[in-house]
Amino acid sequence: MLVRSFQLSDYSSITQLLENVLSEECYEETMSAFAKQLSWDSELVLVAVEQERVAGVIIGTIDNNNGYYYRIAVEGEFQRKGIGKAMIEAMKTRFTQRKVRKILISVDTHNEMVLPVYESVGYRAEHFTRTTHQLSIVNG
């Protein structure tokens, strides 16, 4: 498995993956944030490739010198194989390289179920920032 930066050729595969994995409401919110993040800093969109296929995506952003994990999604057949953890670690490396002050996980109703994945790599409740609406992806 390889975790790498987003490439334009990944767009349709990622769109399909997000549509497969996310609820309709979450998909719409995520696609909007995904487009914004790509226009500002595509280096904070990472893709996991397994068997020459896009298996997962993680979208991060930086706001006020804080790094945020915004959304993570792994295609069903590739779930529970360490891909999510690998993408979280790769994004953490990106945040560290950018010298962010703090790394947080944006928590909304759509990603409550993936919090155990973040916890499994060492994040705790103090790293979770709860939002009642979509986290604004901003040019940080």
Side-chain angles (χ1 to χ4, degrees):
M1 187 234 337
L2 168 70
V3 177
R4 59 165 170 74
S5 295
F6 169 85
Q7 298 171 358
L8 191 54
S9 60
D10 298 325
Y11 188 83
S12 63
S13 296
I14 289 172
T15 301
Q16 187 63 53
L17 182 155
L18 293 172
E19 192 171 17
N20 291 346
V21 174
L22 304 177
S23 69
E24 187 175 335
E25 180 185 2
C26 183
Y27 172 80
E28 295 300 324
E29 287 179 10
T30 301
M31 287 305 295
S32 175
F34 176 50
K36 288 177 187 175
Q37 190 59 42
L38 286 179
S39 72
W40 290 318
D41 188 351
S42 64
E43 290 295 310
L44 293 177
V45 177
L46 301 178
V47 177
V49 178
E50 178 73 36
Q51 302 167 8
E52 299 182 27
R53 291 180 43 212
V54 171
V57 63
I58 189 166
I59 303 168
T61 194
I62 296 175
D63 184 18
N64 291 325
N65 204 32
N66 290 325
Y68 292 89
Y69 294 99
Y70 171 68
R71 188 75 70 222
I72 187 170
V74 176
E75 193 68 70
E77 70 186 272
F78 296 108
Q79 291 178 2
R80 303 200 186 314
K81 298 180 187 239
I83 291 172
K85 290 178 186 179
M87 291 190 302
I88 290 168
E89 290 297 332
M91 185 64 72
K92 180 180 179 180
T93 299
R94 294 280 166 101
F95 288 147
T96 302
Q97 290 169 342
R98 303 281 184 96
K99 298 181 179 12
V100 299
R101 179 178 57 226
K102 192 177 203 181
I103 299 174
L104 300 164
I105 296 97
S106 174
V107 180
D108 61 21
T109 58
H110 303 300
N111 68 354
E112 288 276 344
M113 75 290 286
V114 298
L115 295 183
V117 178
Y118 289 102
E119 291 171 336
S120 73
V121 294
Y123 290 100
R124 299 287 171 249
E126 63 267 16
H127 299 108
F128 301 151
T129 178
R130 300 202 180 263
T131 58
T132 55
H133 61 281
Q134 176 183 347
L135 175 70
S136 295
I137 300 286
V138 296
N139 187 6

